[in-house]
Amino acid sequence: MKQEEATLRFAVQQSIHWMIVGLMIPVITLIFQSKGLNLREIGFVMAVWIGSTTLLEIPLGSLADTYGRRGTYLVSLLLNTLGCFVLYLANEVTFVLLAAALLGASRAVYSGTLDAWFYDAFHQAQGKQTYHSALAKINVAVTIGLAVGSLIGGWLPDIASNSPNVFSSIYDINLLGACIANITLIVITLMLIDDRRHQRNTQPKQVRKNAFQLCTQALKVCWKHDVLSRLMQATVVFGMVLSSVENYWQPYLADILHGTSSGVIAFGAVSALYFIMSAVSSLISVPLLRVFSGLHKTLMFTTRALAGVCFIFLAYTGHLLSFTLCYLLFFFLLTVGNNSESVLLHENTEEKMRSTMLSISSFMVTCGGVLASLAFGVIAERFGISASWIISGALLVLSSVVFIFVSEKRDFKTT
C-alpha cells in the first residue's frame, strides 16, 4: 500500500465517522428535552456521559493495543448504536442515563484505535510524504464530515415534522439515522481498514492481564518520559481552555447581541466559520512548520502563547465583529499546533502501547475540561465570563513554556 492510499482510506473512513457524530450536535439538548428532561436533569445526564468516558478512557484504551485496533473500534460503533437505540426508546430519565453511559463508553472504546492504526500503516507504506502533512489532510476530512453531519442533523427534524404520525418526536429521526449510519460504517471500515497485523490470538484471561500490564506500563512511561510528560501537562491546560470557551462563548455572545437587530443566525454563522477555520489551521500548519525550521516544539510554543494572548483580548470584546474576528483567530492559533503535538506523541511512543497513550492524552483533555467546568463555572458566576477567560488565557501562555524544554530534532522534511 502507498502512503497516498493509506491517507485516502483513513480520510474517507474518518469523514464518515465524524459525519455521524455531527448528526447529533445540533439537536442533542433538544432530544433530551423531548424526553421530558429539565435543564438540571440534562446537566446530570451530560455529567454521566462525560464521566463514563473519563473513567473508562485509559482502561479500555489498552484493549486496542492488546486485542486489535480495528476490532476494538468496531465494538465502539456497536456500543454507539446501542446507546442511540436506547435513547430512541427512552421515556424516562433512568433510560436516558443508561443511553448516556453507553455513548460515553463508546467514546472511551474508540479513543486511540484507528489513529494508532493510521500512524503505523502510514509509516509501513511506500512514499515520501510526512505524517504531519498527511494528518493535515485527515483533519480537513474530519472537519468536512462534522460540517456535513451538522447540516444533515439540523435538516432531518424538518423532514420528520412533515410526517407527524411516524415519529413520537421529530428528533427521533436523528437517532435512527445514527443507528443506520453506524451499521453502514461497520461495513465500510471492514473494507477500508486492514488490521490483520495487529490481530491477537490470546485467551480472554491473558487479554485482560496484558491489557492491565500495558495500561500500567504506559502510565509509568507517560509520567517519566521527557517529552510525553510535558505534552500531557500542556494537554490538561488545553482541555481546560477548550472547555472554558466552549461552555461560555454562546452566553457571552448573547450579551453582546442583546438589544441589537442580530438574531440566532449569528450563532450559526460563527459556528460555521469555526469549522472553516479548523480546516484552514490544519492545512496551514504544514507550510508554517517550515517557517519554524521544522521544529514542532517552536511552532507549538509560539502559537499556543499567542492563542493565550488572543483569548485575553477576546474577554474584552464588546461588538459582534470584534468578537468574531478574535474568536476565529484564537481557535486558529489554538489548533494549528495540534498536528505537531500528534507527531511528537506518536514519535515518542512505542507501537505496542500507541492506542493506550492516545487514550491517556484524551483522558488528560477530559480531566482539563472537568476542572474547568468546576473552577471557571464558579469564577464566571461570581466575577463574570471575562474573568474566567482572562485566567484561562494566562494559563495557556504559561503552559506553552513547557514546549521549549521538549527534546526534538529538526524535521526539515516537512512536505
Side-chain angles (χ1 to χ4, degrees):
M1 183 187 301
K2 294 184 178 180
Q3 289 178 339
E4 291 84 356
E5 182 183 352
T7 302
L8 179 60
R9 284 172 178 259
F10 192 51
V12 171
Q13 198 281 336
Q14 285 292 281
S15 64
I16 298 173
H17 172 96
W18 290 102
M19 182 187 69
I20 296 172
V21 174
L23 291 177
M24 307 290 286
I25 289 177
V27 296
I28 186 62
T29 301
L30 299 175
I31 290 174
F32 291 147
Q33 289 179 324
S34 71
K35 302 297 180 180
L37 274 63
N38 56 38
L39 292 178
R40 179 181 61 83
E41 291 171 331
I42 291 174
F44 186 60
V45 168
M46 293 306 297
V48 170
W49 192 329
I50 298 172
S52 62
T53 301
T54 305
L55 291 174
L56 297 173
E57 189 83 65
I58 298 176
L60 293 180
S62 57
L63 289 178
D65 286 320
T66 306
Y67 187 71
R69 288 157 186 170
R70 186 181 68 176
T72 305
Y73 170 77
L74 295 179
V75 171
S76 76
L77 291 183
L78 291 174
L79 284 172
N80 191 275
T81 303
L82 181 60
C84 289
F85 191 67
V86 170
L87 187 56
Y88 170 75
L89 297 176
N91 54 10
E92 59 181 50
V93 68
T94 303
F95 290 102
V96 175
L97 288 172
L98 174 60
L102 288 169
L103 293 170
S106 169
R107 178 65 182 86
V109 173
Y110 161 74
S111 178
T113 52
L114 297 189
D115 296 302
W117 170 86
F118 176 65
Y119 182 85
D120 292 331
F122 181 82
H123 284 88
Q124 292 158 15
Q126 297 177 346
K128 296 182 179 180
Q129 290 189 44
T130 64
Y131 176 73
H132 184 261
S133 61
L135 196 60
K137 298 173 184 176
I138 299 299
N139 286 334
V140 171
V142 167
T143 304
I144 293 173
L146 274 170
V148 172
S150 297
L151 289 173
I152 296 174
W155 174 57
L156 286 176
D158 289 337
I159 297 177
S161 64
N162 295 325
S163 305
N165 298 324
V166 178
F167 301 100
S168 58
S169 167
I170 59 174
Y171 307 110
D172 285 346
I173 191 173
N174 292 67
L175 295 170
L176 290 178
C179 291
I180 296 171
N182 275 322
I183 295 171
T184 304
L185 183 56
I186 290 175
V187 178
I188 293 173
T189 302
L190 288 170
M191 295 170 59
L192 294 177
I193 308 299
D194 184 2
D195 195 34
R196 286 173 292 184
R197 187 173 181 269
H198 292 96
Q199 289 178 354
R200 313 297 190 194
N201 296 315
T202 51
Q203 298 299 318
K205 289 184 179 180
Q206 186 179 352
V207 169
R208 288 194 296 269
K209 181 180 179 181
N210 291 344
F212 177 77
Q213 290 176 340
L214 196 59
C215 180
T216 305
Q217 184 181 359
L219 287 170
K220 290 179 179 179
V221 170
C222 179
W223 180 260
K224 296 179 180 180
H225 196 279
D226 176 64
V227 176
L228 294 175
S229 61
R230 289 184 169 91
L231 289 179
M232 296 305 172
Q233 292 169 31
T235 298
V236 172
V237 178
F238 179 87
M240 293 178 67
V241 172
L242 195 62
S243 177
S244 178
V245 68
E246 287 182 344
N247 288 346
Y248 304 121
W249 79 268
Q250 292 179 1
Y252 188 90
L253 182 57
D255 287 340
I256 291 177
L257 298 178
H258 183 69
T260 68
S261 59
S262 300
V264 180
I265 191 173
F267 293 88
V270 172
S271 296
L273 288 171
Y274 160 74
F275 283 125
I276 295 173
M277 188 58 66
S278 179
V280 170
S281 70
S282 185
L283 289 175
I284 289 183
S285 68
V286 178
L288 193 60
L289 183 61
R290 300 193 198 102
V291 176
F292 292 99
S293 303
L295 282 173
H296 295 287
K297 67 176 185 179
T298 308
L299 169 63
M300 289 187 291
F301 163 70
T302 305
T303 55
R304 290 284 172 87
L306 289 174
V309 174
C310 190
F311 200 15
I312 294 174
F313 277 113
L314 183 66
Y316 288 100
T317 55
H319 301 281
L320 175 60
L321 180 60
S322 61
F323 172 87
T324 302
L325 293 176
C326 219
Y327 177 81
L328 295 176
L329 179 60
F330 161 74
F331 262 110
F332 171 82
L333 292 169
L334 183 68
T335 59
V336 75
N338 285 356
N339 293 338
S340 290
E341 187 172 2
S342 180
V343 169
L344 290 181
L345 190 147
H346 280 293
E347 287 182 345
N348 290 277
T349 302
E350 295 181 60
E351 180 183 345
K352 67 177 183 179
M353 63 176 67
R354 198 177 306 284
S355 291
T356 309
M357 196 62 69
L358 289 170
S359 290
I360 293 174
S361 178
S362 181
F363 173 78
M364 292 299 180
V365 173
T366 306
C367 284
V370 172
L371 289 173
S373 297
L374 295 174
F376 292 136
V378 175
I379 294 172
E381 181 69 25
R382 178 167 295 188
F383 302 104
I385 295 175
S386 293
S388 68
W389 283 1
I390 292 171
I391 296 173
S392 297
L395 285 174
L396 189 58
V397 173
L398 291 174
S399 69
S400 67
V401 177
V402 303
F403 293 123
I404 297 177
F405 303 100
V406 169
S407 301
E408 182 196 359
K409 295 180 181 179
R410 292 179 185 271
D411 181 11
F412 287 107
K413 185 183 176 184
T414 56
T415 58

